[in-house]
mmCIF file of all heavy atoms in Angstrom:
data_model
loop_
_atom_site.group_PDB
_atom_site.id
_atom_site.type_symbol
_atom_site.label_atom_id
_atom_site.label_comp_id
_atom_site.label_asym_id
_atom_site.label_seq_id
_atom_site.Cartn_x
_atom_site.Cartn_y
_atom_site.Cartn_z
ATOM 1 N N MET A 1354 -63.002 33.335 57.925
ATOM 2 C CA MET A 1354 -62.502 33.392 59.278
ATOM 3 C C MET A 1354 -61.417 32.328 59.450
ATOM 4 O O MET A 1354 -61.597 31.176 59.074
ATOM 5 C CB MET A 1354 -63.647 33.147 60.251
ATOM 6 C CG MET A 1354 -63.237 33.184 61.681
ATOM 7 S SD MET A 1354 -64.725 33.017 62.674
ATOM 8 C CE MET A 1354 -64.038 33.285 64.235
ATOM 9 N N ILE A 1355 -60.302 32.719 60.018
ATOM 10 C CA ILE A 1355 -59.186 31.806 60.238
ATOM 11 C C ILE A 1355 -59.329 31.175 61.610
ATOM 12 O O ILE A 1355 -59.491 31.868 62.612
ATOM 13 C CB ILE A 1355 -57.837 32.549 60.127
ATOM 14 C CG1 ILE A 1355 -57.675 33.128 58.729
ATOM 15 C CG2 ILE A 1355 -56.694 31.623 60.482
ATOM 16 C CD1 ILE A 1355 -56.454 33.998 58.588
ATOM 17 N N LYS A 1356 -59.279 29.856 61.629
ATOM 18 C CA LYS A 1356 -59.384 29.143 62.894
ATOM 19 C C LYS A 1356 -57.983 28.816 63.376
ATOM 20 O O LYS A 1356 -57.193 28.231 62.647
ATOM 21 C CB LYS A 1356 -60.202 27.863 62.704
ATOM 22 C CG LYS A 1356 -60.436 27.105 63.975
ATOM 23 C CD LYS A 1356 -61.300 25.880 63.728
ATOM 24 C CE LYS A 1356 -61.489 25.139 65.031
ATOM 25 N NZ LYS A 1356 -62.292 23.939 64.867
ATOM 26 N N THR A 1357 -57.672 29.189 64.593
ATOM 27 C CA THR A 1357 -56.352 28.914 65.147
ATOM 28 C C THR A 1357 -56.445 27.721 66.095
ATOM 29 O O THR A 1357 -57.489 27.446 66.672
ATOM 30 C CB THR A 1357 -55.802 30.133 65.906
ATOM 31 O OG1 THR A 1357 -56.700 30.454 66.960
ATOM 32 C CG2 THR A 1357 -55.649 31.319 64.975
ATOM 33 N N THR A 1358 -55.333 27.022 66.237
ATOM 34 C CA THR A 1358 -55.282 25.893 67.155
ATOM 35 C C THR A 1358 -54.402 26.263 68.336
ATOM 36 O O THR A 1358 -53.524 27.126 68.235
ATOM 37 C CB THR A 1358 -54.707 24.645 66.468
ATOM 38 O OG1 THR A 1358 -53.406 24.954 65.993
ATOM 39 C CG2 THR A 1358 -55.573 24.201 65.311
ATOM 40 N N SER A 1359 -54.618 25.599 69.424
ATOM 41 C CA SER A 1359 -53.805 25.871 70.604
ATOM 42 C C SER A 1359 -52.405 25.303 70.386
ATOM 43 O O SER A 1359 -52.219 24.352 69.618
ATOM 44 C CB SER A 1359 -54.443 25.254 71.839
ATOM 45 O OG SER A 1359 -54.353 23.851 71.777
ATOM 46 N N PRO A 1360 -51.411 25.873 71.054
ATOM 47 C CA PRO A 1360 -50.042 25.347 70.905
ATOM 48 C C PRO A 1360 -49.929 23.887 71.330
ATOM 49 O O PRO A 1360 -49.173 23.127 70.732
ATOM 50 C CB PRO A 1360 -49.213 26.248 71.812
ATOM 51 C CG PRO A 1360 -50.002 27.500 71.941
ATOM 52 C CD PRO A 1360 -51.431 27.096 71.842
ATOM 53 N N LEU A 1361 -50.691 23.486 72.333
ATOM 54 C CA LEU A 1361 -50.651 22.092 72.777
ATOM 55 C C LEU A 1361 -51.208 21.164 71.706
ATOM 56 O O LEU A 1361 -50.645 20.102 71.430
ATOM 57 C CB LEU A 1361 -51.436 21.936 74.079
ATOM 58 C CG LEU A 1361 -51.395 20.560 74.730
ATOM 59 C CD1 LEU A 1361 -49.964 20.195 75.086
ATOM 60 C CD2 LEU A 1361 -52.270 20.528 75.960
ATOM 61 N N SER A 1362 -52.292 21.571 71.078
ATOM 62 C CA SER A 1362 -52.882 20.762 70.015
ATOM 63 C C SER A 1362 -51.945 20.662 68.812
ATOM 64 O O SER A 1362 -51.809 19.595 68.200
ATOM 65 C CB SER A 1362 -54.220 21.358 69.592
ATOM 66 O OG SER A 1362 -54.782 20.626 68.536
ATOM 67 N N ALA A 1363 -51.279 21.756 68.481
ATOM 68 C CA ALA A 1363 -50.348 21.744 67.357
ATOM 69 C C ALA A 1363 -49.149 20.844 67.662
ATOM 70 O O ALA A 1363 -48.695 20.091 66.793
ATOM 71 C CB ALA A 1363 -49.886 23.157 67.053
ATOM 72 N N ALA A 1364 -48.647 20.890 68.890
ATOM 73 C CA ALA A 1364 -47.523 20.042 69.272
ATOM 74 C C ALA A 1364 -47.925 18.576 69.230
ATOM 75 O O ALA A 1364 -47.145 17.715 68.791
ATOM 76 C CB ALA A 1364 -47.028 20.422 70.660
ATOM 77 N N PHE A 1365 -49.136 18.267 69.690
ATOM 78 C CA PHE A 1365 -49.610 16.890 69.652
ATOM 79 C C PHE A 1365 -49.738 16.404 68.209
ATOM 80 O O PHE A 1365 -49.377 15.269 67.891
ATOM 81 C CB PHE A 1365 -50.955 16.768 70.374
ATOM 82 C CG PHE A 1365 -51.490 15.372 70.410
ATOM 83 C CD1 PHE A 1365 -50.895 14.404 71.194
ATOM 84 C CD2 PHE A 1365 -52.591 15.014 69.637
ATOM 85 C CE1 PHE A 1365 -51.381 13.112 71.216
ATOM 86 C CE2 PHE A 1365 -53.081 13.731 69.655
ATOM 87 C CZ PHE A 1365 -52.477 12.777 70.445
ATOM 88 N N GLY A 1366 -50.202 17.245 67.332
ATOM 89 C CA GLY A 1366 -50.318 16.882 65.919
ATOM 90 C C GLY A 1366 -48.966 16.601 65.298
ATOM 91 O O GLY A 1366 -48.809 15.646 64.541
ATOM 92 N N ARG A 1367 -47.973 17.431 65.627
ATOM 93 C CA ARG A 1367 -46.627 17.189 65.108
ATOM 94 C C ARG A 1367 -46.046 15.897 65.659
ATOM 95 O O ARG A 1367 -45.352 15.165 64.951
ATOM 96 C CB ARG A 1367 -45.720 18.372 65.440
ATOM 97 C CG ARG A 1367 -46.014 19.597 64.596
ATOM 98 C CD ARG A 1367 -44.939 20.660 64.761
ATOM 99 N NE ARG A 1367 -44.821 21.148 66.129
ATOM 100 C CZ ARG A 1367 -45.495 22.190 66.627
ATOM 101 N NH1 ARG A 1367 -46.331 22.841 65.842
ATOM 102 N NH2 ARG A 1367 -45.323 22.568 67.878
ATOM 103 N N LEU A 1368 -46.332 15.606 66.934
ATOM 104 C CA LEU A 1368 -45.855 14.367 67.539
ATOM 105 C C LEU A 1368 -46.473 13.155 66.847
ATOM 106 O O LEU A 1368 -45.778 12.169 66.567
ATOM 107 C CB LEU A 1368 -46.183 14.345 69.031
ATOM 108 C CG LEU A 1368 -45.773 13.088 69.792
ATOM 109 C CD1 LEU A 1368 -44.254 12.951 69.807
ATOM 110 C CD2 LEU A 1368 -46.330 13.108 71.195
ATOM 111 N N VAL A 1369 -47.751 13.232 66.540
ATOM 112 C CA VAL A 1369 -48.423 12.125 65.853
ATOM 113 C C VAL A 1369 -47.813 11.907 64.473
ATOM 114 O O VAL A 1369 -47.561 10.770 64.065
ATOM 115 C CB VAL A 1369 -49.946 12.388 65.762
ATOM 116 C CG1 VAL A 1369 -50.616 11.421 64.803
ATOM 117 C CG2 VAL A 1369 -50.580 12.308 67.138
ATOM 118 N N VAL A 1370 -47.533 12.982 63.763
ATOM 119 C CA VAL A 1370 -46.929 12.871 62.434
ATOM 120 C C VAL A 1370 -45.527 12.272 62.535
ATOM 121 O O VAL A 1370 -45.145 11.410 61.738
ATOM 122 C CB VAL A 1370 -46.896 14.251 61.730
ATOM 123 C CG1 VAL A 1370 -46.036 14.208 60.484
ATOM 124 C CG2 VAL A 1370 -48.305 14.696 61.398
ATOM 125 N N ALA A 1371 -44.762 12.694 63.540
ATOM 126 C CA ALA A 1371 -43.406 12.179 63.711
ATOM 127 C C ALA A 1371 -43.416 10.690 64.052
ATOM 128 O O ALA A 1371 -42.631 9.908 63.510
ATOM 129 C CB ALA A 1371 -42.674 12.961 64.800
ATOM 130 N N VAL A 1372 -44.308 10.274 64.942
ATOM 131 C CA VAL A 1372 -44.380 8.856 65.325
ATOM 132 C C VAL A 1372 -44.853 8.010 64.146
ATOM 133 O O VAL A 1372 -44.325 6.917 63.907
ATOM 134 C CB VAL A 1372 -45.297 8.681 66.556
ATOM 135 C CG1 VAL A 1372 -45.600 7.220 66.818
ATOM 136 C CG2 VAL A 1372 -44.653 9.322 67.783
ATOM 137 N N ALA A 1373 -45.823 8.511 63.391
ATOM 138 C CA ALA A 1373 -46.308 7.762 62.227
ATOM 139 C C ALA A 1373 -45.206 7.635 61.168
ATOM 140 O O ALA A 1373 -45.056 6.574 60.552
ATOM 141 C CB ALA A 1373 -47.539 8.449 61.645
ATOM 142 N N SER A 1374 -44.436 8.686 60.971
ATOM 143 C CA SER A 1374 -43.335 8.626 60.006
ATOM 144 C C SER A 1374 -42.269 7.631 60.451
ATOM 145 O O SER A 1374 -41.761 6.852 59.636
ATOM 146 C CB SER A 1374 -42.700 10.010 59.841
ATOM 147 O OG SER A 1374 -43.637 10.920 59.335
ATOM 148 N N LEU A 1375 -41.939 7.660 61.722
ATOM 149 C CA LEU A 1375 -40.949 6.719 62.250
ATOM 150 C C LEU A 1375 -41.431 5.276 62.109
ATOM 151 O O LEU A 1375 -40.673 4.391 61.708
ATOM 152 C CB LEU A 1375 -40.644 7.038 63.703
ATOM 153 C CG LEU A 1375 -39.591 6.176 64.377
ATOM 154 C CD1 LEU A 1375 -38.244 6.368 63.707
ATOM 155 C CD2 LEU A 1375 -39.496 6.526 65.845
ATOM 156 N N ALA A 1376 -42.702 5.038 62.412
ATOM 157 C CA ALA A 1376 -43.251 3.686 62.286
ATOM 158 C C ALA A 1376 -43.219 3.218 60.833
ATOM 159 O O ALA A 1376 -42.892 2.061 60.548
ATOM 160 C CB ALA A 1376 -44.677 3.653 62.827
ATOM 161 N N ALA A 1377 -43.538 4.113 59.894
ATOM 162 C CA ALA A 1377 -43.514 3.744 58.474
ATOM 163 C C ALA A 1377 -42.092 3.410 58.024
ATOM 164 O O ALA A 1377 -41.885 2.463 57.256
ATOM 165 C CB ALA A 1377 -44.077 4.882 57.630
ATOM 166 N N MET A 1378 -41.109 4.160 58.533
ATOM 167 C CA MET A 1378 -39.718 3.863 58.172
ATOM 168 C C MET A 1378 -39.270 2.516 58.736
ATOM 169 O O MET A 1378 -38.588 1.742 58.060
ATOM 170 C CB MET A 1378 -38.796 4.969 58.669
ATOM 171 C CG MET A 1378 -38.897 6.237 57.857
ATOM 172 S SD MET A 1378 -37.669 7.455 58.336
ATOM 173 C CE MET A 1378 -38.503 8.270 59.684
ATOM 174 N N VAL A 1379 -39.659 2.222 59.967
ATOM 175 C CA VAL A 1379 -39.279 0.944 60.579
ATOM 176 C C VAL A 1379 -39.904 -0.217 59.805
ATOM 177 O O VAL A 1379 -39.243 -1.223 59.528
ATOM 178 C CB VAL A 1379 -39.687 0.914 62.066
ATOM 179 C CG1 VAL A 1379 -39.578 -0.482 62.648
ATOM 180 C CG2 VAL A 1379 -38.835 1.886 62.865
ATOM 181 N N VAL A 1380 -41.164 -0.084 59.440
ATOM 182 C CA VAL A 1380 -41.830 -1.137 58.666
ATOM 183 C C VAL A 1380 -41.167 -1.282 57.298
ATOM 184 O O VAL A 1380 -40.938 -2.404 56.832
ATOM 185 C CB VAL A 1380 -43.341 -0.830 58.524
ATOM 186 C CG1 VAL A 1380 -43.997 -1.740 57.497
ATOM 187 C CG2 VAL A 1380 -44.031 -0.965 59.871
ATOM 188 N N GLY A 1381 -40.819 -0.179 56.662
ATOM 189 C CA GLY A 1381 -40.155 -0.241 55.359
ATOM 190 C C GLY A 1381 -38.808 -0.932 55.431
ATOM 191 O O GLY A 1381 -38.493 -1.782 54.598
ATOM 192 N N VAL A 1382 -38.013 -0.598 56.433
ATOM 193 C CA VAL A 1382 -36.712 -1.239 56.588
ATOM 194 C C VAL A 1382 -36.885 -2.727 56.884
ATOM 195 O O VAL A 1382 -36.145 -3.570 56.371
ATOM 196 C CB VAL A 1382 -35.890 -0.542 57.698
ATOM 197 C CG1 VAL A 1382 -34.674 -1.350 58.084
ATOM 198 C CG2 VAL A 1382 -35.485 0.847 57.246
ATOM 199 N N GLY A 1383 -37.871 -3.071 57.689
ATOM 200 C CA GLY A 1383 -38.130 -4.481 57.988
ATOM 201 C C GLY A 1383 -38.528 -5.263 56.749
ATOM 202 O O GLY A 1383 -38.061 -6.388 56.530
ATOM 203 N N LEU A 1384 -39.378 -4.668 55.919
ATOM 204 C CA LEU A 1384 -39.799 -5.358 54.696
ATOM 205 C C LEU A 1384 -38.632 -5.537 53.729
ATOM 206 O O LEU A 1384 -38.495 -6.591 53.110
ATOM 207 C CB LEU A 1384 -40.930 -4.576 54.020
ATOM 208 C CG LEU A 1384 -42.278 -4.650 54.717
ATOM 209 C CD1 LEU A 1384 -43.273 -3.723 54.027
ATOM 210 C CD2 LEU A 1384 -42.805 -6.066 54.736
ATOM 211 N N VAL A 1385 -37.790 -4.522 53.610
ATOM 212 C CA VAL A 1385 -36.621 -4.651 52.740
ATOM 213 C C VAL A 1385 -35.677 -5.712 53.292
ATOM 214 O O VAL A 1385 -35.092 -6.501 52.540
ATOM 215 C CB VAL A 1385 -35.904 -3.290 52.594
ATOM 216 C CG1 VAL A 1385 -34.540 -3.448 51.952
ATOM 217 C CG2 VAL A 1385 -36.756 -2.343 51.774
ATOM 218 N N SER A 1386 -35.557 -5.777 54.601
ATOM 219 C CA SER A 1386 -34.674 -6.770 55.212
ATOM 220 C C SER A 1386 -35.181 -8.188 54.966
ATOM 221 O O SER A 1386 -34.393 -9.098 54.717
ATOM 222 C CB SER A 1386 -34.581 -6.509 56.717
ATOM 223 O OG SER A 1386 -33.841 -7.520 57.351
ATOM 224 N N VAL A 1387 -36.479 -8.380 55.036
ATOM 225 C CA VAL A 1387 -37.044 -9.722 54.858
ATOM 226 C C VAL A 1387 -37.085 -10.118 53.385
ATOM 227 O O VAL A 1387 -36.660 -11.217 53.022
ATOM 228 C CB VAL A 1387 -38.465 -9.786 55.461
ATOM 229 C CG1 VAL A 1387 -39.165 -11.076 55.082
ATOM 230 C CG2 VAL A 1387 -38.389 -9.660 56.972
ATOM 231 N N PHE A 1388 -37.591 -9.236 52.529
ATOM 232 C CA PHE A 1388 -37.796 -9.584 51.131
ATOM 233 C C PHE A 1388 -36.624 -9.203 50.234
ATOM 234 O O PHE A 1388 -36.612 -9.543 49.060
ATOM 235 C CB PHE A 1388 -39.070 -8.927 50.604
ATOM 236 C CG PHE A 1388 -40.310 -9.461 51.258
ATOM 237 C CD1 PHE A 1388 -41.090 -8.636 52.056
ATOM 238 C CD2 PHE A 1388 -40.694 -10.772 51.096
ATOM 239 C CE1 PHE A 1388 -42.224 -9.110 52.663
ATOM 240 C CE2 PHE A 1388 -41.824 -11.264 51.699
ATOM 241 C CZ PHE A 1388 -42.597 -10.433 52.487
ATOM 242 N N GLY A 1389 -35.616 -8.519 50.750
ATOM 243 C CA GLY A 1389 -34.509 -8.069 49.928
ATOM 244 C C GLY A 1389 -33.346 -9.030 49.881
ATOM 245 O O GLY A 1389 -32.361 -8.763 49.214
ATOM 246 N N LYS A 1390 -33.439 -10.154 50.592
ATOM 247 C CA LYS A 1390 -32.338 -11.117 50.592
ATOM 248 C C LYS A 1390 -32.300 -11.866 49.265
ATOM 249 O O LYS A 1390 -33.329 -12.288 48.757
ATOM 250 C CB LYS A 1390 -32.518 -12.129 51.724
ATOM 251 C CG LYS A 1390 -32.399 -11.518 53.089
ATOM 252 C CD LYS A 1390 -32.588 -12.564 54.161
ATOM 253 C CE LYS A 1390 -32.546 -11.921 55.528
ATOM 254 N NZ LYS A 1390 -32.826 -12.884 56.595
ATOM 255 N N PRO A 1391 -31.103 -12.051 48.700
ATOM 256 C CA PRO A 1391 -31.030 -12.820 47.452
ATOM 257 C C PRO A 1391 -31.314 -14.303 47.744
ATOM 258 O O PRO A 1391 -31.069 -14.783 48.850
ATOM 259 C CB PRO A 1391 -29.595 -12.632 46.985
ATOM 260 C CG PRO A 1391 -28.843 -12.244 48.201
ATOM 261 C CD PRO A 1391 -29.808 -11.550 49.117
ATOM 262 N N PRO A 1392 -31.834 -15.013 46.782
ATOM 263 C CA PRO A 1392 -32.099 -16.429 47.009
ATOM 264 C C PRO A 1392 -30.795 -17.200 47.216
ATOM 265 O O PRO A 1392 -29.768 -16.876 46.623
ATOM 266 C CB PRO A 1392 -32.807 -16.880 45.738
ATOM 267 C CG PRO A 1392 -32.451 -15.874 44.715
ATOM 268 C CD PRO A 1392 -32.191 -14.589 45.436
ATOM 269 N N THR A 1393 -30.854 -18.202 48.056
ATOM 270 C CA THR A 1393 -29.661 -19.010 48.310
ATOM 271 C C THR A 1393 -29.504 -20.050 47.214
ATOM 272 O O THR A 1393 -30.480 -20.636 46.741
ATOM 273 C CB THR A 1393 -29.758 -19.711 49.672
ATOM 274 O OG1 THR A 1393 -30.944 -20.496 49.707
ATOM 275 C CG2 THR A 1393 -29.813 -18.691 50.798
ATOM 276 N N ALA A 1394 -28.282 -20.269 46.806
ATOM 277 C CA ALA A 1394 -27.996 -21.247 45.761
ATOM 278 C C ALA A 1394 -27.876 -22.631 46.401
ATOM 279 O O ALA A 1394 -27.389 -22.763 47.526
ATOM 280 C CB ALA A 1394 -26.708 -20.896 45.048
ATOM 281 N N PRO A 1395 -28.294 -23.661 45.711
ATOM 282 C CA PRO A 1395 -28.125 -25.007 46.257
ATOM 283 C C PRO A 1395 -26.638 -25.381 46.329
ATOM 284 O O PRO A 1395 -25.838 -24.937 45.513
ATOM 285 C CB PRO A 1395 -28.875 -25.904 45.267
ATOM 286 C CG PRO A 1395 -28.966 -25.111 44.015
ATOM 287 C CD PRO A 1395 -28.958 -23.666 44.413
ATOM 288 N N VAL A 1396 -26.289 -26.165 47.307
ATOM 289 C CA VAL A 1396 -24.899 -26.595 47.482
ATOM 290 C C VAL A 1396 -24.677 -27.864 46.677
ATOM 291 O O VAL A 1396 -25.411 -28.837 46.810
ATOM 292 C CB VAL A 1396 -24.606 -26.844 48.972
ATOM 293 C CG1 VAL A 1396 -23.172 -27.326 49.165
ATOM 294 C CG2 VAL A 1396 -24.868 -25.589 49.773
ATOM 295 N N ALA A 1397 -23.655 -27.851 45.840
ATOM 296 C CA ALA A 1397 -23.356 -29.017 44.997
ATOM 297 C C ALA A 1397 -22.568 -30.054 45.795
ATOM 298 O O ALA A 1397 -21.747 -29.722 46.629
ATOM 299 C CB ALA A 1397 -22.568 -28.577 43.776
ATOM 300 N N GLU A 1398 -22.827 -31.305 45.490
ATOM 301 C CA GLU A 1398 -22.070 -32.394 46.116
ATOM 302 C C GLU A 1398 -20.793 -32.625 45.313
ATOM 303 O O GLU A 1398 -20.724 -32.288 44.135
ATOM 304 C CB GLU A 1398 -22.915 -33.662 46.131
ATOM 305 C CG GLU A 1398 -24.121 -33.569 47.023
ATOM 306 C CD GLU A 1398 -24.889 -34.893 47.091
ATOM 307 O OE1 GLU A 1398 -24.338 -35.934 46.673
ATOM 308 O OE2 GLU A 1398 -26.031 -34.858 47.535
ATOM 309 N N PRO A 1399 -19.787 -33.210 45.926
ATOM 310 C CA PRO A 1399 -18.552 -33.490 45.173
ATOM 311 C C PRO A 1399 -18.830 -34.550 44.095
ATOM 312 O O PRO A 1399 -19.780 -35.335 44.195
ATOM 313 C CB PRO A 1399 -17.592 -34.014 46.228
ATOM 314 C CG PRO A 1399 -18.415 -34.372 47.407
ATOM 315 C CD PRO A 1399 -19.682 -33.592 47.321
ATOM 316 N N PRO A 1400 -18.016 -34.587 43.069
ATOM 317 C CA PRO A 1400 -18.204 -35.599 42.023
ATOM 318 C C PRO A 1400 -18.142 -37.009 42.620
ATOM 319 O O PRO A 1400 -17.486 -37.229 43.638
ATOM 320 C CB PRO A 1400 -17.040 -35.351 41.073
ATOM 321 C CG PRO A 1400 -16.587 -33.968 41.348
ATOM 322 C CD PRO A 1400 -16.924 -33.688 42.767
ATOM 323 N N PRO A 1401 -18.799 -37.989 41.988
ATOM 324 C CA PRO A 1401 -18.851 -39.354 42.563
ATOM 325 C C PRO A 1401 -17.489 -39.999 42.748
ATOM 326 O O PRO A 1401 -17.308 -40.798 43.643
ATOM 327 C CB PRO A 1401 -19.676 -40.144 41.545
ATOM 328 C CG PRO A 1401 -20.397 -39.131 40.729
ATOM 329 C CD PRO A 1401 -19.609 -37.880 40.794
ATOM 330 N N GLY A 1402 -16.523 -39.660 41.969
ATOM 331 C CA GLY A 1402 -15.203 -40.301 42.077
ATOM 332 C C GLY A 1402 -14.390 -39.813 43.276
ATOM 333 O O GLY A 1402 -13.437 -40.433 43.666
ATOM 334 N N GLU A 1403 -14.759 -38.710 43.894
ATOM 335 C CA GLU A 1403 -13.963 -38.149 44.992
ATOM 336 C C GLU A 1403 -14.481 -38.556 46.368
ATOM 337 O O GLU A 1403 -13.964 -38.102 47.355
ATOM 338 C CB GLU A 1403 -13.946 -36.621 44.870
ATOM 339 C CG GLU A 1403 -13.204 -36.124 43.653
ATOM 340 C CD GLU A 1403 -13.136 -34.627 43.643
ATOM 341 O OE1 GLU A 1403 -13.468 -33.994 44.653
ATOM 342 O OE2 GLU A 1403 -12.769 -34.074 42.595
ATOM 343 N N ARG A 1404 -15.454 -39.383 46.463
ATOM 344 C CA ARG A 1404 -15.991 -39.776 47.767
ATOM 345 C C ARG A 1404 -15.213 -40.890 48.376
ATOM 346 O O ARG A 1404 -14.675 -41.765 47.969
ATOM 347 C CB ARG A 1404 -17.448 -40.185 47.653
ATOM 348 C CG ARG A 1404 -18.335 -39.005 47.430
ATOM 349 C CD ARG A 1404 -19.753 -39.414 47.637
ATOM 350 N NE ARG A 1404 -20.602 -38.563 46.811
ATOM 351 C CZ ARG A 1404 -21.880 -38.684 46.753
ATOM 352 N NH1 ARG A 1404 -22.497 -39.605 47.430
ATOM 353 N NH2 ARG A 1404 -22.592 -37.890 46.022
#
């Protein structure tokens, strides 16, 4: 026997999937933004004779 769902229930399910997908993308972009930065190089001081 095939069980059918109401159109409202199906729309709500699609909305939940869409919101969950959007949230996962936002979290993924945030993680790449935070952890994807290259390390900063230390700044060298001028040679002792040029001070």
